Amino acid sequence: MAEEELTFTENMDLTLPERNLSNLAIRFPELLPSRHFMDLSRWPIFCILNTELLSTVRKIFVFGNSGNEAIFITDTDDVFAFGSNCSNCLGLGDSHSSFEPRKIDSLCQKKVIDISFGSGPHVVALTQAGEVYSWGHNGYCQLGNGSSSPGFIPGLVTTNLINRKVVKIACGSHHTMALLSDGEVYAWGQNNCGQVGTGSSTNQPSPRKITATIGTRFAVAIACGQTSSMALLDNGEVYGWGYNGNGQLGIGNNVNQPNPCRVVALQTIIITQIVCGYAHTLALSDEGSIYSWGANSYGQLGTGNKANAVVPAKVTSQSERFVEIAASHYSHISASMCQNGKVYMWGQCRGQSLTSPWMTRFSSTDDVFAAFSTPPVSWRIYSVDLIKGSRVADAVAAAFDNPETSDIKFVVDGKDIHVHKTILKMRCEHFRSMFQSCWDEGSKESIEITQYSYPVYKAFLKYLYTDDVDLSPDEAIGLLDLSNSYCEELLKMKCESLIRQSISVDNVAMLYAAAIKFGAQTLEDFCFRFSLNHMTAVTQSEAFNKLDESVVKEFIYKASLAGAFRN
């Protein structure tokens, strides 16, 4: 297929495991929640489902050589599959293709939280309890059941995993990896290029712990290219092994590696997310920068050219701070989301090449893969809020700050915000109390607010109408204060997530103190971890010098428990 630059019309701009360290819950940043409003018709295969069945769908996963196979989970935790059923990959007990969804009985009511697939295809599912099920093609022992016989229905992978909790799974072309809650990494399947990490090129018929280099280390994420593997450790280090003909391991050469090798070029950078394409790799740093390496025939590295890279190169951006990256070993496309919600894509987009990130009008990276990936496959399992009922949601959102329909207004900094008592009472306990008949506010048509700024209070009221937080990360501290005062726990969590996206060495000390003040434990843990990773710069910042003495003492004590001052 010819590689030509992608052209657009002018108006067409389109959960990591935790580790206890000296009794401190220190977390890497979670991926953005993969739950969003989406018209499932973006995925061609879902266009054939009837409206009644679509209304029950809560999670979807699309896979296969043509994007012609899919698994979905309903609101009653029933698991269905439909499509072409290549190599028995639907797990239905037979080889029959079907556009009529059928239940995968052995997975129903198991609370499946993750699904991955290989090129055979073989499919692997992970349950909330940490159990791994596999089925489909097994010519290279990629199902991990000790044989090379195909799997017609999901089978529990037991060798070395029984009574262990798996928290993440990943599949390459014909190999599989599993990350356990204690940070150990296991792999099995095809090993012709060393992708299983056993130090040899012999296929591995059942899960085997990767012991070389990372065996005693704590991994927090895993990813697979077609014939390569990557692991991210809890200190932000990245390791790769397997096929390296395109430089996808990022170690500075094109030599295959049967054991994990550290990506040394990233040693001064703390990585928090790692994903793999067919033969390229993306990494996201804790400061919101994207690094890429490997194959680049379609511009999938986002470096502005089509030259392969054997060491990490920074993805070109307009000073954006990125919070999520996306890729699939089935394609040559890359995607990302920045802190303001903008979604970018680059690489092979519907067969054409885009060598630098291009802003889209999508609301999630998942939409990029549905619309532009070849084939259109999922890069992760994700939840959807269906379009059913969206007319009501749209109407409520449109009513916000509408003086024609409102029955009360809030005056903040001399500016009016028009709202509706009924909606506020339904959405917030604070207003249910405020608008009781025994209080003066219940009969007022205007209420003045002096404790919070206009942008903060408007963002809060708008959140009650839309569930979205429309506020810059810099202003979110005020909203965190408000959500804490009003006992709005969900909003508080959203604020913490938003604030994490703006953390830098200059402000992390201030945000750490604010997190303590407002009881935002997740934000406090994140700020603490960030500070440990950038200790020298943080302790020399003006914000750190302004911390209360008690906060500084507690920080130093916690840092010592985490090993910051070991010789």
Side-chain angles (χ1 to χ4, degrees), residues 71-103:
I71 294 172
F72 64 88
I73 304 172
T74 68
D75 49 14
T76 57
D77 200 30
D78 285 324
V79 182
F80 288 84
F82 66 110
S84 57
N85 205 16
C86 178
S87 299
N88 327 302
C89 66
L90 297 185
L92 297 169
D94 56 48
S95 301
H96 303 312
S97 300
S98 175
F99 278 152
E100 181 68 30
R102 292 184 285 160
K103 283 185 180 180

Side-chain angles (χ1 to χ4, degrees), residues 20-337:
N20 289 327
L21 185 57
S22 300
N23 296 322
L24 293 174
I26 301 173
R27 301 173 181 171
F28 267 76
E30 300 91 346
L31 298 181
L32 292 183
S34 60
R35 187 175 185 89
H36 57 278
F37 286 97
M38 178 178 177
D39 181 356
L40 287 180
S41 64
R42 288 195 191 280
W43 298 93
I45 191 169
F46 275 93
C47 293
I48 63 176
L49 298 189
N50 64 59
T51 303
E52 183 178 354
L53 184 56
L54 276 176
S55 69
T56 69
V57 175
R58 289 299 172 266
K59 295 180 181 178
I60 75 167
F61 189 77
V62 181
F63 60 102
N65 293 328
S66 301
N68 282 342
E69 282 129 348
I71 294 172
F72 64 88
I73 304 172
T74 68
D75 49 14
T76 57
D77 200 30
D78 285 324
V79 182
F80 288 84
F82 66 110
S84 57
N85 205 16
C86 178
S87 299
N88 327 302
C89 66
L90 297 185
L92 297 169
D94 56 48
S95 301
H96 303 312
S97 300
S98 175
F99 278 152
E100 181 68 30
R102 292 184 285 160
K103 283 185 180 180
I104 307 178
D105 291 324
S106 56
L107 293 183
C108 291
Q109 315 307 315
K110 289 290 179 61
K111 299 187 185 302
V112 172
I113 59 172
D114 198 10
I115 298 176
S116 189
F117 67 104
S119 297
H122 75 287
V123 185
V124 181
L126 173 65
T127 69
Q128 192 174 77
E131 295 180 328
V132 176
Y133 291 81
S134 63
W135 65 96
H137 189 269
N138 196 30
Y140 300 92
C141 306
Q142 59 265 48
L143 298 189
N145 57 19
S147 76
S148 58
S149 301
F152 286 83
I153 60 173
L156 184 64
V157 182
T158 58
T159 302
N160 293 325
L161 299 183
I162 198 70
N163 296 323
R164 308 286 301 279
K165 185 171 185 178
V166 175
V167 294
K168 182 64 181 176
I169 50 175
C171 293
S173 176
H174 299 97
H175 75 289
T176 309
M177 286 207 297
L179 172 64
L180 275 62
S181 60
D182 59 7
E184 293 183 346
V185 179
Y186 285 74
W188 60 93
Q190 188 181 37
N191 196 32
N192 59 323
C193 301
Q195 58 265 47
V196 173
T198 59
S200 71
S201 57
T202 304
N203 292 349
Q204 178 61 35
S206 57
R208 177 174 174 175
K209 181 183 175 182
I210 298 177
T211 57
T213 313
I214 66 170
T216 59
R217 313 288 293 281
F218 192 99
V220 294
I222 53 175
C224 293
Q226 277 280 302
T227 48
S228 61
S229 305
M230 304 296 298
L232 171 64
L233 303 188
D234 63 347
N235 62 355
E237 294 178 0
V238 176
Y239 287 77
W241 60 97
Y243 184 69
N244 196 32
N246 297 287
Q248 55 262 59
L249 301 187
I251 59 176
N253 57 48
N254 294 105
V255 180
N256 295 352
Q257 300 294 329
N259 290 310
C261 291
R262 185 180 176 187
V263 183
V264 178
L266 294 174
Q267 63 182 352
T268 61
I269 301 164
I270 305 299
I271 298 302
T272 59
Q273 189 194 347
I274 187 117
V275 293
C276 291
Y278 183 95
H280 76 287
T281 308
L282 301 176
L284 179 67
S285 78
D286 65 345
E287 295 183 307
S289 297
I290 301 175
Y291 297 85
S292 62
W293 58 92
N296 198 28
S297 299
Y298 301 93
Q300 58 265 45
L301 298 187
T303 53
N305 57 54
K306 294 184 180 180
N308 290 2
V310 297
V311 294
K314 199 169 185 178
V315 174
T316 57
S317 67
Q318 301 296 320
S319 300
E320 297 279 19
R321 184 187 179 104
F322 294 97
V323 294
E324 181 179 270
I325 50 176
S328 166
H329 74 278
Y330 246 58
S331 64
H332 309 285
I333 192 173
S334 304
S336 66
M337 178 182 287

Side-chain angles (χ1 to χ4, degrees), residues 8 28 67 124 206 312 379 405 459 465 532 567:
F8 295 85
F28 267 76
V124 181
S206 57
W379 76 274
T405 61
Y465 280 72
L532 285 184
N567 293 327

